[in-house]
């Protein structure tokens, strides 16, 4: 395992843990707000509920865009290096081919990290914002 791969997987693990804590907090706080608002939510409640839907769609698109661009970038780098690694392997030099295999294993983790980042950022910021708003 390369150091880059360990770093990326550590970031994924950290963000996943933080997301698993923040998301239930946000859901609980918003459900409580919806319950307290009842059948006639205030203008502030209506703005919060509309923002909630908008944020989910935005985070989804940011996540898919980040995963797509990371994937395309990795494929382009792989395509540039493939001919050289193939020629090197034909002459018995396996180091470039092995390096490319390591790079491919990093690609999956990089794509996952890129997709997790916008969702994590939004959920953690919402948890913080709703927590401070509730404390007031």
């Amino acid at each position: 395992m390369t150091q880059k791969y360990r770093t990326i997987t550590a970031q994924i693990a950290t963000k996943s843990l933080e997301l698993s804590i923040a998301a239930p907090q946000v859901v609980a706080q918003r459900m409580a707000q919806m319950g307290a608002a009842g059948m006639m939510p205030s203008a502030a409640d209506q703005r919060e509920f509309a923002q909630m839907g908008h944020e989910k769609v935005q985070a989804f698109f940011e996540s898919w865009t980040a995963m797509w661009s990371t994937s395309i970038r990795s494929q382009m780098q792989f395509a540039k290096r493939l001919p050289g690694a193939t020629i090197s392997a034909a002459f018995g030099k396996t180091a470039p081919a092995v390096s490319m295999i390591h790079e491919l294993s990093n690609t999956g983790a990089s794509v996952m990290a890129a997709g997790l980042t916008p969702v994590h950022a939004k959920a953690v910021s919402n948890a913080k914002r709703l927590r401070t708003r509730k404390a007031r």
Side-chain angles (χ1 to χ4, degrees):
M1 248 189 248
T2 65
Q3 180 60 34
K4 181 180 178 184
Y5 181 77
R6 281 190 217 108
T7 303
I8 292 170
T9 54
Q11 289 172 357
I12 292 169
T14 301
K15 287 180 180 179
S16 296
L17 177 63
E18 290 173 354
L19 184 60
S20 72
I21 293 168
Q25 287 177 356
V26 171
V27 169
Q29 289 166 340
R30 285 191 165 152
M31 293 299 291
Q33 184 179 359
M34 286 180 188
M39 296 299 289
M40 301 297 268
S42 68
D45 288 334
Q46 289 178 14
R47 279 191 305 276
E48 179 68 29
F49 301 152
Q51 179 182 352
M52 175 178 56
H54 174 74
E55 287 173 345
K56 286 181 179 24
V57 172
Q58 182 181 3
F60 173 81
F61 280 111
E62 287 176 9
S63 179
W64 274 100
T65 301
M67 290 182 349
W68 178 83
S69 63
T70 302
S71 178
I72 293 297
R73 221 175 302 115
S74 296
Q75 289 174 16
M76 289 171 64
Q77 289 173 352
F78 184 77
K80 282 185 207 174
R81 294 181 55 203
L82 186 60
T86 305
I87 292 169
S88 296
F91 289 104
K93 297 178 183 173
T94 59
V98 170
S99 171
M100 286 184 68
I101 291 169
H102 284 286
E103 192 173 310
L104 280 175
S105 68
N106 291 343
T107 298
S110 296
V111 169
M112 184 182 291
L116 185 60
T117 298
V119 175
H120 166 268
K122 188 54 69 179
V124 170
S125 70
N126 278 341
K128 197 177 292 185
R129 180 178 58 83
L130 291 170
R131 218 179 9 249
T132 58
R133 195 176 102 188
K134 186 179 178 182
R136 287 185 223 165

